[in-house]
Amino acid sequence: MNLSNINQENVFVKSVIGNVRTKQEDHCGMAETPNGDVFIVCDGVGGNVGGAMAASIAVEAITEFLANDKYDNVPQAINDAIQYANQRILSYASANHGFDGMATTVCVLLLQENNAFIAHVGDSRIYLYLGREKKLHRITKDHSYVQTLVDAGEITDEEAEMHPRKNVILKALGIDSEVDPTIDMLQPKNEDVFLICTDGLNGMISDKTIENIMKLDTPLELKGEKLIDLAMQGEDGRPGGLDNCTLQLIKIDNSPWNKSEFVSYNPKSHDDKQLLSEPESEKPDPDVVTDKSKSRFSIEKMLYIIIPLLIIMSCIIFANRDKDEKESTTAEMKTDDAVAWKDTTSCDNVSVEPEPIHVPESKPADVPEQNIVVEQNTQSKPESEVKPELKTPSKPTTIYTKNVSFGITKVVDAGNEYKISYKVRKGDNVSEICQLFDCSRNDFRKWNNLKNDNIGAGMVYLIKKDKASVECKIHTVKKNEILVNIAKRNKVKMDDVIVCNGLKNPNSIAPGQKLILIVK
């Protein structure tokens, strides 16, 4: 069972170019997957070449990842899907001239059985409209420059909407090799509606205006159309339609929950975030924010009480113990064998001096000789126990490097092993790469910090090979030499030579050309 029956009454999607832009850089999608129903909205970063392509790749990649398999850990799966999309965008930009800097925001909603999962990167937003309470809540916090100013209390949320740098975002897919999405889980109830949108909507009209439209007693489709129309018109004297505008509305009608539970980021006296939940009798009203820091007992105050108590108790314990030991020792010791000691315990100083150790000036005759060794032994050891002299490891040396569209781009001699950099070609999978280099999937994942077998075309991955198992040979092509003879003479597969060297036309090798051969 999923939270919503996906049909025309419960889902509305629309995207418009706007009044100023000449092309659509937003992209959105939805799909049924083994992990639940997924909804995605992306906004290609304006001003960067390829924003539209980045948004399109992100929607396709996230959908593909979640449709590929059923995952037990849903938040981790969403994170991995976003990482996969990020790598796909980076790979495309690397392989296609003129697409450097292509990037996109992303918002993801996944409805799985009784729970909803949301994730976002950038300043596209997800809202939750509580249908019964007729209240709109912002459930994502923008990864933007002005949001940091709001969080710091330097400007108000209203001032942020008019700030000259409101479009500066701090996170996006396609910028760095790793991206850090914000992921959360919530439990909506029936009649609640999710609104996913780009800033072409919430940047043109206020949250209050959006809430008023959602309150209308009209079908979801009409609400969506009205929101788009108002975004194109603008409000409070501000022009509308300055950006592409995309929204998705998803109504919940199959939920087992009587109350909604979620985190709200609605502006409210600069509070960080408000945990809103509505169980029957235990949890607070949705609009009441509880300041946990005021009701929590201060750890510092607790320490001020506990530490003096511990000191006093220690004084009492040590004083009683030393008193008992002193009386017992006095009663039993002979005067000739007595060892002097000093009681330094006091309530003002809880440190206790250790009893002095009596060391006789000469060893008694009946005590056998002992060879006492402390930390080191100067006696010679048997030859088998002598550790070999440590040698400084040799510095890794690059023995091969080549700029190819796919195949081996670098080989480093690292002492006992080769470190091979391999650029993935379109259509490659992990099984084929592991077969080519005779390695295991687990090793391949470990070498490259991969959580699964998803790899991107054009990306470079590391393979490590022990010198005892392979030899990396550099072969210089001679005049009239053909590839099949080179492979046969070196006892390697011709297909392996083709793949490793990124040869698109095996018959086009030329005299003097250098080929890398992985001889197993």
Side-chain angles (χ1 to χ4, degrees):
M1 179 186 76
N2 277 347
L3 287 166
S4 177
N5 294 302
I6 306 303
N7 54 43
Q8 191 171 359
E9 293 182 358
N10 291 340
V11 177
F12 174 77
V13 178
K14 188 166 183 177
S15 185
V16 297
I17 293 178
N19 302 331
V20 177
R21 297 290 180 89
T22 58
K23 63 179 181 178
Q24 177 63 271
E25 293 189 1
D26 293 352
H27 202 76
C28 63
M30 60 180 182
E32 291 184 38
T33 77
N35 300 284
D37 298 323
V38 62
F39 302 85
I40 309 167
V41 168
C42 294
D43 180 1
V45 176
N48 283 340
V49 176
M53 179 59 70
S56 176
I57 291 174
V59 172
E60 178 185 349
I62 293 171
T63 304
E64 175 188 325
F65 187 95
L66 295 174
N68 183 56
D69 200 359
K70 177 73 165 65
Y71 303 100
D72 295 329
N73 188 331
V74 178
Q76 184 62 53
I78 295 174
N79 177 73
D80 291 348
I82 292 175
Q83 302 298 335
Y84 175 58
N86 186 55
Q87 291 297 323
R88 285 273 302 272
I89 294 170
L90 290 171
S91 297
Y92 188 92
S94 175
N96 293 272
H97 179 70
F99 284 88
D100 292 343
M102 60 188 289
T104 183
T105 69
V106 65
C107 282
V108 178
L109 167 67
L110 183 67
L111 303 180
Q112 186 194 73
E113 298 179 351
N114 298 334
N115 298 315
F117 299 86
I118 59 172
H120 81 290
V121 176
D123 64 350
S124 295
R125 289 183 184 174
I126 305 180
Y127 292 87
L128 182 65
Y129 175 73
L130 304 181
R132 297 175 191 172
E133 294 81 357
K134 299 188 181 303
K135 177 70 175 177
L136 183 75
H137 288 277
R138 194 186 301 179
I139 58 174
T140 58
K141 181 185 283 191
D142 297 349
H143 299 142
S144 65
Y145 171 72
V146 295
Q147 184 63 53
T148 63
L149 300 180
V150 173
D151 292 343
E154 296 182 16
I155 62 173
T156 66
D157 193 76
E158 291 74 19
E159 289 170 337
E161 294 300 322
M162 304 296 294
H163 198 279
R165 301 187 67 188
K166 63 175 292 187
N167 293 325
V168 177
I169 59 176
L170 304 180
K171 294 182 183 180
L173 274 64
I175 301 299
D176 296 316
S177 58
E178 290 283 336
V179 64
D180 183 23
T182 301
I183 302 175
D184 203 356
M185 185 187 82
L186 55 153
Q187 296 170 342
K189 64 181 181 302
N190 287 339
E191 299 181 39
D192 289 352
V193 179
F194 285 97
L195 164 62
I196 314 174
C197 63
T198 60
D199 63 343
L201 179 74
N202 58 269
M204 300 295 110
I205 56 177
S206 67
D207 288 5
K208 188 62 179 177
T209 299
I210 296 174
E211 182 180 77
N212 290 337
I213 299 303
M214 296 302 296
K215 287 180 180 179
L216 297 176
D217 187 18
T218 58
L220 204 64
E221 179 182 1
L222 294 182
K223 293 178 182 178
E225 293 286 2
K226 184 65 175 176
L227 288 172
I228 293 285
D229 289 345
L230 289 177
M232 294 302 101
Q233 296 171 19
E235 65 178 357
D236 297 333
R238 291 182 295 169
L242 300 179
D243 197 356
N244 304 147
C245 180
T246 298
L247 66 79
Q248 292 180 335
L249 294 171
I250 304 97
K251 184 177 181 181
I252 304 301
D253 70 344
N254 202 20
S255 172
W257 308 111
N258 293 322
K259 301 291 182 179
S260 305
E261 186 168 343
F262 58 98
V263 174
S264 175
Y265 294 98
N266 280 357
K268 199 167 188 177
S269 302
H270 304 297
D271 289 337
D272 273 347
K273 68 177 183 179
Q274 311 146 34
L275 177 61
L276 301 188
S277 54
E278 312 168 303
E280 298 291 337
S281 58
E282 303 178 10
K283 298 185 180 179
D285 184 88
D287 290 324
V288 177
V289 180
T290 303
D291 187 348
K292 294 182 180 179
S293 63
K294 293 180 181 179
S295 60
R296 186 173 60 245
F297 192 79
S298 172
I299 295 178
E300 293 180 359
K301 291 181 181 178
M302 190 182 299
L303 291 175
Y304 287 139
I305 297 172
I306 290 176
I307 291 176
L309 286 176
L310 290 175
I311 294 174
I312 294 171
M313 291 175 65
S314 299
C315 289
I316 295 171
I317 291 171
F318 279 120
N320 289 336
R321 188 193 70 178
D322 292 338
K323 182 179 179 181
D324 292 341
E325 290 180 356
K326 190 173 183 180
E327 290 175 354
S328 175
T329 305
T330 304
E332 296 178 3
M333 282 196 311
K334 292 183 179 180
T335 306
D336 293 342
D337 299 326
V339 178
W341 61 280
K342 182 181 180 182
D343 181 6
T344 61
T345 305
S346 70
C347 287
D348 295 325
N349 185 355
V350 296
S351 64
V352 180
E353 291 186 10
E355 296 180 8
I357 301 173
H358 178 69
V359 182
E361 294 181 3
S362 61
K363 289 179 282 190
D366 58 346
V367 178
E369 286 282 341
Q370 297 184 35
N371 181 22
I372 300 175
V373 180
V374 180
E375 294 299 322
Q376 62 181 2
N377 191 341
T378 57
Q379 296 179 359
S380 61
K381 296 184 179 180
E383 188 175 343
S384 60
E385 295 182 11
V386 177
K387 294 183 179 180
E389 183 182 353
L390 295 177
K391 295 183 179 180
T392 304
S394 58
K395 186 178 180 181
T397 305
T398 300
I399 62 173
Y400 174 84
T401 180
K402 193 172 184 180
N403 184 18
V404 290
S405 58
F406 67 89
I408 295 175
T409 59
K410 182 188 292 186
V411 177
V412 175
D413 185 336
N416 294 326
E417 66 179 3
Y418 294 111
K419 293 184 177 180
I420 304 170
S421 299
Y422 178 80
K423 184 185 285 189
V424 175
R425 60 178 173 172
K426 188 175 182 180
D428 270 350
N429 57 52
V430 172
S431 295
E432 292 169 342
I433 297 173
C434 290
Q435 184 177 0
L436 173 63
F437 292 102
D438 194 19
C439 61
S440 70
R441 290 187 180 206
N442 288 337
D443 284 342
F444 183 82
R445 291 176 183 172
K446 181 174 68 174
W447 296 329
N448 295 282
N449 280 328
L450 297 177
K451 296 177 181 177
N452 49 54
D453 286 350
N454 293 307
I455 56 176
M459 296 300 296
V460 176
Y461 295 92
L462 175 66
I463 293 96
K464 298 181 181 181
K465 293 303 298 182
D466 195 306
K467 287 186 177 180
S469 63
V470 302
E471 179 186 2
C472 291
K473 296 176 62 176
I474 310 298
H475 178 80
T476 303
V477 179
K478 299 179 179 61
K479 188 176 181 179
N480 298 326
E481 202 171 25
I482 60 175
L483 195 62
V484 63
N485 290 340
I486 295 173
K488 186 176 181 180
R489 191 178 308 116
N490 289 278
K491 298 180 180 179
V492 294
K493 296 179 181 178
M494 189 172 76
D495 288 344
D496 290 357
V497 179
I498 293 172
V499 173
C500 288
N501 291 276
L503 301 177
K504 297 179 180 179
N505 183 0
N507 297 320
S508 63
I509 60 173
Q513 182 177 349
K514 295 187 182 299
L515 301 175
I516 181 73
L517 307 176
I518 306 297
V519 182
K520 302 174 185 177

